[in-house]
């Protein structure tokens, strides 16, 4: 894709448009491989791993934690790796590593073997998350970045949806066959993404000196907001199915249906959020997201009716993935014409996200055990995290103060 023509809103090059969509497809595949499949496909595989006596339940849970630890390592290592080996080479290597982990996990050679490969899957996902979207989005005109980012991060939602549909079908053939099937799918996605990555410098960015000074306070606030969002999602991402199945006594099958609804929301959320951001700005869209998330996360704490739970699952699922393009787009707003700083800021945001997500998962699991299985307390805490994120954004950006109307985007 050397010499890619970057389109403005009107569009003026058919070749440039084709290359643009190939690049978006590559980043979509990277999100699907590294996060959608490498992380979320493990959730429905977990009961089968225990039933097949590959590992005990407690041991299998630690293997899930290995993926989170690897993700954090990947978020930290992504930019240094790209600096040493080139971004495109790193992206290809990490897609290949994620694909290899599926084939490796089809053989239960012991805890150390599995732990290493689950850690590697998380590492690949972290690197892909840090590098894939910025590599493409810096080549896209600002007016289209919301929708393009939404298309890229649909890959995460597609993986969540696949975890509730494709994995059960593969498991009918056997646990090893399920791992091999995921590996084959990942291999196909990697092939589709291999040659679509953009090369060369960003054609839309002007030199850093021509841009406005970075808004450091707002940027630091954004890191805190994104981290709090990661914590606020944990009650749904970890406890939603169990809450419906055991807390409400509806059973595992009904609980799985709500996870499927969550996955549907996660699939469409990035596109809807990106389209909204293109119309009203990433800052305003992000604040709207925080408000909607706070309400949706709190719903299971007080409203246990089917309609309320469906709405909660759909909305939270939509923003689990939809907030990602909003945050990366907001970074571009805060650091206009500073492409190197944009990539550094996205890397830091991803690191804080990974830290708070892992920390909240362990903390809320401990609180759940100590409270005697109080699900509603978890949802209240999650909603409080979202409200705090909104409050930080309002304060950091001076929303509502005289003279700051022009800063609300």
């Amino acid at each position: 894709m050397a010499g890619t023509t970057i389109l403005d809103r009107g569009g003026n090059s058919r070749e440039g448009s084709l290359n643009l969509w190939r690049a978006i497809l590559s980043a979509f595949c990277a999100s699907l491989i590294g996060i959608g499949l490498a992380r979320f496909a493990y959730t429905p595989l977990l009961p089968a791993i225990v039933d097949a006596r590959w590992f005990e339940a407690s041991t299998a849970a630690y293997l899930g934690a290995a993926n989170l630890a690897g993700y954090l390592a990947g978020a930290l290592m992504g930019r240094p790796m790209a600096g040493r080996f080139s971004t495109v080479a790193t992206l290809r290597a990490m897609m290949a590593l994620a694909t290899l982990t599926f084939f490796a996990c089809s053989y239960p050679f012991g805890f150390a073997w599995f732990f290493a490969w689950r850690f590697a899957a998380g590492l690949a996902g972290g690197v892909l998350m840090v590098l894939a979207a910025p590599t493409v989005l810096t080549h896209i005109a600002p007016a289209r970045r919301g929708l393009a980012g939404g298309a890229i991060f649909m890959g995460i939602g597609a993986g969540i949806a696949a975890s509730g549909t494709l994995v059960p079908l593969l498991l009918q053939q056997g646990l090893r066959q399920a791992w091999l099937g995921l590996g084959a799918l990942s291999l196909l996605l990697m092939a589709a993404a291999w040659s679509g990555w953009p090369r060369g410098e960003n054609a839309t960015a002007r030199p850093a000196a021509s841009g406005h000074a970075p808004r450091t306070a707002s940027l630091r606030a954004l890191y805190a907001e994104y981290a709090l969002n990661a914590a606020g999602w944990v009650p749904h991402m970890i406890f939603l199915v169990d809450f419906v199945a055991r807390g409400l006594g509806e059973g595992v099958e009904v609980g799985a249906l709500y996870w499927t609804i969550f996955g549907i929301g996660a699939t469409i959320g990035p596109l809807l959020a990106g389209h909204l951001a293109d119309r009203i700005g990433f800052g305003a869209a992000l604040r709207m997201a925080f408000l909607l998330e706070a309400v949706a996360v709190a719903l299971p704490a007080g409203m246990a009716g089917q309609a309320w739970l469906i709405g909660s699952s759909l909305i939270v699922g939509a923003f689990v993935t939809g907030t990602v393009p909003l945050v990366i787009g907001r970074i571009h707003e805060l650091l206009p014409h500073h492409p190197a700083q944009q990539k550094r800021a996205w890397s830091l945001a991803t690191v804080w996200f990974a830290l708070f997500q892992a920390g909240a998962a362990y903390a809320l699991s401990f609180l759940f055990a100590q409270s005697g299985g109080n699900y509603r307390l978890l949802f209240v805490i999650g909603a409080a995290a979202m409200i705090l994120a909104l409050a930080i954004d309002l304060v950091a950006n001076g929303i509502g103060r005289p003279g700051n109307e022009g800063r609300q985007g």
Side-chain angles (χ1 to χ4, degrees), residues 94-115:
M94 291 301 103
M95 288 191 294
L97 176 60
T99 300
L100 182 60
T101 64
F102 293 113
F103 294 105
C105 287
S106 66
Y107 295 93
F109 288 152
F111 177 80
W113 170 268
F114 237 76
F115 187 95

Side-chain angles (χ1 to χ4, degrees), residues 48-186:
I49 289 172
V50 176
D51 290 344
R53 300 185 182 279
W54 282 19
F55 301 101
E56 297 296 328
S58 58
T59 304
Y62 278 112
L63 294 172
N67 186 268
L68 291 176
Y71 182 79
L72 176 58
L76 290 167
M77 295 170 58
R79 290 187 66 251
M81 291 174 64
R84 182 171 182 179
F85 302 109
S86 88
T87 300
V88 173
T90 302
L91 287 165
R92 288 172 174 169
M94 291 301 103
M95 288 191 294
L97 176 60
T99 300
L100 182 60
T101 64
F102 293 113
F103 294 105
C105 287
S106 66
Y107 295 93
F109 288 152
F111 177 80
W113 170 268
F114 237 76
F115 187 95
W117 285 109
R118 290 305 298 157
F119 182 91
L123 185 145
V127 174
L128 290 171
M129 189 67 166
V130 166
L131 297 181
T135 298
V136 174
L137 291 179
T138 53
H139 288 259
I140 295 175
R144 292 189 169 190
R145 281 182 186 153
L147 188 60
I152 289 169
F153 291 112
M154 273 184 66
I156 303 174
I160 296 175
S163 73
T165 53
L166 177 62
V167 171
L169 293 175
L170 291 172
L171 284 172
Q172 293 179 6
Q173 308 301 317
L175 181 54
R176 176 171 295 170
Q177 287 73 19
W179 282 110
L180 293 173
L182 290 172
L185 174 59
S186 183

